[in-house]
Amino acid sequence: DAGVIQSPRHEVTEMGQEVTLRCKPISGHNSLFWYRQTMMRGLELLIYFNNNVPIDDSGMPEDRFSAKMPNASFSTLKIQPSEPRDSAVYFCASSYPGQQQFFGPGTRLTVL
Amino acid sequence: AQTVTQSQPEMSVQEAETVTLSCTYDTSESDYYLFWYKQPPSRQMILVIRQEAYKQQNATENRFSVNFQKAAKSFSLKISDSQLGDAAMYFCAAKSGGGADGLTFGKGTHLIIQP
């Protein structure tokens, strides 16, 4: 199994641009999580899905952030418009319900 | 909701020695899980050990063990026979219930292994 796949691994963009981060969960896992890691705030849960349905998006910082899971094998996290304070490492993780979460390698986002 | 506190931003230990990383948590849940994750410079998040709150026995995985004090809401990680490859950030995390809830992380402890 390839594990959780995230793309791109690195993204550099300019303020105001739209950014789309992508995640492919481990096949068969029906829970998917998006986390953000910054020096100031540490690791924070942004949103998670069960069976492709968003369950808790209370961690999404503001309306500029949106996440979708159109099918069991793909999810996106979109930031529009991006701001320098969005610079962080974004992790996707997947699991069977109640089981260990497996993390992807993360996407390092830099907004200039 | 849970909160997780790691009071040691950085710890240093000699190779082959034992080190203990501290973690305290707060939760209103009766059913919850606790975890330690390792994050090396590659930034990959690696599960080290997990503890179910309903289990009294402390979890152990090879050189890694926990001291779970439920009443004190304490969950420390002990690393025995420290190795250079143990150098990393270590995060304590909590999750409520047995369902698919997200993890709440502490701020992490940077572990340095002195050769």
Side-chain angles (χ1 to χ4, degrees):
Chain A
D1 195 327
V4 176
I5 299 172
Q6 291 187 247
S7 64
R9 294 292 306 276
H10 304 273
E11 176 80 25
V12 180
T13 190
E14 293 189 346
M15 183 174 62
Q17 296 298 305
E18 178 180 294
V19 175
T20 299
L21 311 182
R22 297 173 176 80
C23 175
K24 177 179 170 56
I26 292 172
S27 177
H29 284 186
N30 51 7
S31 296
L32 184 139
F33 308 82
W34 283 100
Y35 294 90
R36 178 173 68 174
Q37 184 176 29
T38 62
M39 288 296 293
M40 290 296 295
R41 300 176 65 91
L43 276 152
E44 307 171 279
L45 175 68
L46 299 178
I47 185 171
Y48 73 92
F49 297 81
N50 280 349
N51 296 317
N52 313 337
V53 176
I55 302 302
D56 183 358
D57 65 353
S58 60
M60 296 285 264
E62 48 196 277
D63 292 345
R64 297 184 297 106
F65 286 69
S66 62
K68 294 183 179 179
M69 193 165 185
N71 57 62
S73 59
F74 184 66
S75 177
T76 60
L77 178 67
K78 185 175 293 187
I79 308 172
Q80 166 64 21
S82 58
E83 296 182 3
R85 60 194 169 116
D86 302 330
S87 297
V89 178
Y90 291 81
F91 286 100
C92 177
S94 71
S95 75
Y96 295 111
Q99 299 300 309
Q100 175 188 346
Q101 293 183 24
F102 291 84
F103 283 75
T107 295
R108 180 177 293 278
L109 173 65
T110 302
V111 183
L112 303 174
Chain B
Q2 304 94 27
T3 60
V4 178
T5 303
Q6 294 179 250
S7 59
Q8 306 155 314
E10 187 172 279
M11 292 283 285
S12 181
V13 64
Q14 293 284 338
E15 192 177 2
E17 296 294 307
T18 295
V19 63
T20 298
L21 308 184
S22 301
C23 173
T24 58
Y25 63 94
D26 195 14
T27 180
S28 57
E29 306 282 343
S30 57
D31 182 20
Y32 57 92
Y33 295 75
L34 299 167
F35 307 83
W36 279 98
Y37 278 86
K38 171 184 177 181
Q39 187 179 41
S42 67
R43 79 171 180 243
Q44 180 69 48
M45 295 292 290
I46 303 165
L47 178 65
V48 175
I49 200 165
R50 65 178 273 171
Q51 174 81 43
E52 291 86 348
Y54 62 85
K55 289 187 178 179
Q56 293 185 341
Q57 187 171 7
N58 289 323
T60 299
E61 288 287 342
N62 300 316
R63 299 182 295 106
F64 299 86
S65 62
V66 298
N67 184 3
F68 175 43
Q69 300 290 326
K70 192 171 184 177
K73 296 184 177 178
S74 171
F75 183 61
S76 60
L77 174 70
K78 186 172 80 171
I79 305 174
S80 303
D81 185 24
S82 298
Q83 300 176 359
L84 294 177
D86 296 333
M89 285 292 293
Y90 286 81
F91 293 94
C92 181
K95 185 182 85 66
S96 62
D101 293 326
L103 296 165
T104 300
F105 286 92
K107 289 296 179 68
T109 297
H110 181 210
L111 179 63
I112 298 168
I113 311 294
Q114 305 279 5

